[in-house]
Amino acid sequence: MEEDQKYLRRAITLAKRGIGWVNPNPLVGAVIVKNGRIIGEGYHAFFGGPHAEVMAIENAMGSVKGATLYVTMEPCSHQGKTPPCTGTIIEKGIRKVVVGMKDPNPLVNGKGLKILKDAGIEVTTGIEEAAILKMNEQFVKYIVTGRPFCTLKTAMTLDGKIATVENASRWISGEDSRKQVHELRQQYSAVMVGINTVLYDDPLLNTRRIRKKNKDPLKVIVDSTGKIPLEARVLKMNPQLVILATTDKIEKTKKHDLERLGAQVLVCPKKEEKVDLGCLMFSLGKMGIDSVLLEGGSTIAFSALINGIVDKVVSFIAPKIIGGAVASSPVGGKGLSSMEDAIVIKNWNYRKIGTDILIEGYINKIKKHR
């Protein structure tokens, strides 16, 4: 058991090298062990690329016949962008396969394990499952529901403000926290903001990690009436990565101008005269977008929470106080009327990021808010 855990933890470390590059596929790592030593390693490096098991076999030093394969997720048994891994495992004479977790994909979900067992291969499952499930929380939500995994990111002062009374917000959080935000952007397929963030901050919403290869996310702007200026910085840099989520209240000429720049305009149904966020997430899922990092501001944060689209919350808290009765807080809107209606965060934890504190946890979705 301890040996299985050791090699699967190594496979988890390998799998994380694919963060940001494999979406909407899962993060998968594989290790091949023979005669008590590792002879091959692999991981899923990019969407459409070879799977971890195949890479480990191809990278192996010597024959893998009779070896044990450790893999974080159940080997696929269907033809996708690459051939099924189960066939390669059987063909190469792997004796034993230790799997971290079953693949929740309905096309697989135990079928790969059965094929291996039927071929006479010893199969063990459920080792380091909790860690692997957390690592692939985006994939699991998306593959099971067809909707993106959504994380709400906020940054605030100790007194709960995201800007001064004059709307100055640079910088609430420290430099280390801002670097961490770019690490987050690398992990998600899309970054989403409301139109007020574009109007007040004019952000680029790209990924800027120093001395690392970066992948810019798609940029989803929720703009019910088409207020976005054509000169906005987000439209000047890679406008083809911009999705403007709007309603039929947008002017036809504005829609045409945005599309001419290269942006995609997604006309969504209305809910209380604003973009229906539930329908938007459904549409994004249909487009193959498995994960969304919601970066604000306060109005869209409240709408996202009460419409039940948020799965996780990541909040940076800076040791600063700015005050102001009318200064904005991370979650605005009309608010909830009683503490019994409060949205509860579960399975939360915290850690220090430079001068700030980072708190993250998951939304308890037992209650429905309207």
Side-chain angles (χ1 to χ4, degrees):
M1 179 70 170
E2 287 184 7
E3 188 175 77
D4 289 347
Q5 288 177 320
K6 179 180 77 172
Y7 291 127
L8 265 174
R9 285 170 186 164
R10 173 58 185 166
I12 290 171
T13 299
L14 292 168
K16 289 180 178 178
R17 294 180 182 177
I19 287 175
W21 304 107
V22 302
N23 308 61
N25 283 350
L27 296 165
V28 183
V31 173
I32 299 174
V33 177
K34 188 173 183 179
N35 299 325
R37 68 185 185 94
I38 294 176
I39 64 168
E41 293 184 336
Y43 67 98
H44 187 35
F46 59 92
F47 177 70
H51 286 189
E53 304 93 317
V54 173
M55 289 300 297
I57 290 170
E58 290 182 355
N59 292 336
M61 298 176 288
S63 171
V64 299
K65 187 173 182 180
T68 298
L69 168 67
Y70 293 87
V71 61
T72 55
M73 190 171 288
E74 173 183 1
C76 65
S77 57
H78 65 289
Q79 177 71 46
K81 289 186 175 294
T82 59
C85 294
T86 49
T88 303
I89 293 168
I90 295 167
E91 177 190 338
K92 296 297 181 179
I94 297 286
R95 178 184 63 83
K96 180 180 178 181
V97 177
V98 180
V99 175
M101 66 172 283
K102 275 187 181 182
D103 189 339
N105 186 343
L107 292 174
V108 185
N109 198 242
K111 295 176 184 176
L113 301 179
K114 183 177 186 305
I115 289 171
L116 295 176
K117 289 176 182 177
D118 288 347
I121 295 174
E122 182 183 348
V123 177
T124 300
T125 60
I127 310 296
E128 293 294 315
E129 186 172 13
I132 296 165
L133 183 62
K134 180 173 175 57
M135 177 177 72
N136 279 302
E137 59 190 11
Q138 296 176 6
F139 170 75
V140 173
K141 162 77 182 291
Y142 176 68
I143 206 68
V144 171
T145 68
R147 298 182 182 230
F149 183 92
C150 180
T151 292
L152 171 63
K153 188 277 295 182
T154 63
M156 63 182 175
T157 59
L158 193 60
D159 57 336
K161 307 298 183 181
I162 62 172
T164 70
V165 291
E166 299 292 334
N167 281 324
S169 60
R170 295 183 179 177
W171 295 101
I172 293 289
S173 53
E175 183 179 355
D176 290 333
S177 293
R178 298 197 298 273
K179 288 179 179 178
Q180 186 63 32
V181 170
H182 287 280
E183 294 292 341
L184 278 173
R185 287 182 182 176
Q186 177 70 20
Q187 297 171 24
Y188 287 76
S189 294
V191 171
M192 184 162 78
V193 298
I195 183 56
N196 287 338
T197 296
V198 175
L199 295 176
Y200 293 144
D201 297 338
D202 198 17
L204 286 170
L205 301 178
N206 59 354
T207 304
R208 302 184 295 277
R209 301 183 303 164
I210 300 172
R211 291 188 293 275
K212 291 183 180 180
K213 187 179 179 182
N214 295 306
K215 178 212 69 178
D216 279 348
L218 294 168
K219 300 142 188 191
V220 181
I221 314 298
V222 181
D223 181 5
S224 299
T225 59
K227 293 180 183 176
I228 188 169
L230 297 178
E231 300 78 23
R233 293 202 301 165
V234 76
L235 290 172
K236 289 186 175 180
M237 181 180 288
N238 297 327
Q240 68 275 11
L241 293 179
V242 175
I243 299 172
L244 189 89
T246 188
T247 69
D248 58 11
K249 291 194 283 186
I250 189 173
E251 294 181 359
K252 290 183 179 179
T253 54
K254 187 64 170 287
K255 180 175 182 291
H256 174 75
D257 288 342
L258 288 165
E259 291 172 335
R260 180 175 51 79
L261 288 174
Q264 179 175 346
V265 179
L266 186 63
V267 179
C268 303
K270 293 194 292 284
K271 186 173 184 179
E272 297 179 354
E273 294 305 306
K274 296 180 179 180
V275 169
D276 186 326
L277 295 179
C279 290
L280 171 59
M281 297 300 275
F282 178 79
S283 297
L284 295 178
K286 287 289 187 183
M287 294 164 65
I289 298 171
D290 71 329
S291 52
V292 171
L293 181 63
L294 177 56
E295 292 204 29
S298 63
T299 301
I300 194 172
F302 181 73
S303 295
L305 287 165
I306 63 169
N307 280 285
I309 70 167
V310 178
D311 299 287
K312 185 176 182 179
V313 175
V314 173
S315 183
F316 296 89
I317 303 175
K320 302 173 183 177
I321 296 174
I322 56 178
V326 296
S328 297
S329 63
V331 181
K334 62 184 179 181
L336 300 171
S337 58
S338 70
M339 287 304 298
E340 287 73 20
D341 291 330
I343 298 167
V344 177
I345 308 300
K346 62 180 182 178
N347 299 333
W348 60 272
N349 61 74
Y350 69 93
R351 67 182 188 273
K352 196 168 182 289
I353 302 285
T355 58
D356 305 330
I357 297 295
L358 170 61
I359 298 178
E360 59 182 352
Y362 298 84
I363 297 292
N364 187 337
K365 294 195 175 182
I366 295 174
K367 283 188 177 183
K368 285 191 176 181
H369 299 270
R370 297 186 181 279

